[in-house]
Amino acid sequence: MAELLLGQAPSFDVSGFHPGRFAALSPDAARQTSLDLYNDIYHWPAPPEPVA
């Protein structure tokens, strides 16, 4: 990514990262898939209830 941001040619094939790979999905399906994957990675379980 740094190479691309600097306007240089990437040192490896980055075609697998092209957003067009999601072209077969509708925008709603792509959005839902993205949210599901994000939640799978970054969702923390709720803290346990305090013991009374």
Side-chain angles (χ1 to χ4, degrees), residues 9-28:
S11 55
F12 64 95
D13 181 17
V14 294
S15 61
F17 298 106
H18 192 277
R21 69 187 189 274
F22 299 110
L25 294 175
S26 71
D28 288 336

Side-chain angles (χ1 to χ4, degrees), residues 23-46:
L25 294 175
S26 71
D28 288 336
R31 184 178 306 108
Q32 188 60 51
T33 300
S34 298
L35 289 172
D36 291 343
L37 292 171
Y38 178 87
N39 286 327
D40 285 348
I41 295 169
Y42 295 107
H43 175 76
W44 290 90

Side-chain angles (χ1 to χ4, degrees), residues 1 5 8 17 20-21:
M1 282 309 280
L5 292 172
Q8 301 170 357
F17 298 106
R21 69 187 189 274

